[in-house]
Amino acid sequence: MKNVEIYSTPTCHYCQMAKEFFKEKGIQYTEYNVLTDLAKRQEMIDNSGQLGVPVISIDGKVVIGFDQAEISSLLGI
């Protein structure tokens, strides 16, 4: 199983779409709320150079935004 992490905020529409996609496909993921978790926010910025969400990490490969094709490719689905 791949290690999937999503850095998100509660009001982000694309974050919700990504999480719904993971649930539909049966993909387990770890979610970090970067609105309240300042350490994870800084980790997201350090790993991606991005301030916007979602930032998704799949086995260490970073995907900016909800790029369903790229996410599917990295997950092998």
Side-chain angles (χ1 to χ4, degrees), residues 3 11 13 16 20 24 26 37 46 57-58 64 67 75-76:
N3 181 36
T11 58
H13 177 68
Q16 294 302 325
E20 287 174 18
E24 286 172 9
D37 190 333
D46 292 344
S57 174
I58 301 171
I64 308 301
D67 183 340
L75 292 172

Side-chain angles (χ1 to χ4, degrees), residues 20-77:
E20 287 174 18
F21 174 77
F22 292 144
K23 287 177 188 170
E24 286 172 9
K25 300 296 183 184
I27 304 298
Q28 293 183 357
Y29 62 92
T30 303
E31 179 181 5
Y32 303 115
N33 180 351
V34 297
L35 188 64
T36 57
D37 190 333
L38 301 181
K40 287 297 179 181
R41 180 188 309 167
Q42 188 59 52
E43 180 179 281
M44 176 189 79
I45 294 166
D46 292 344
N47 290 340
S48 69
Q50 298 292 310
L51 295 173
V53 290
V55 172
I56 299 167
S57 174
I58 301 171
D59 282 346
K61 294 184 173 49
V62 174
V63 178
I64 308 301
F66 178 51
D67 183 340
Q68 187 172 337
E70 179 68 12
I71 292 167
S72 294
S73 175
L74 289 171
L75 292 172
I77 56 173

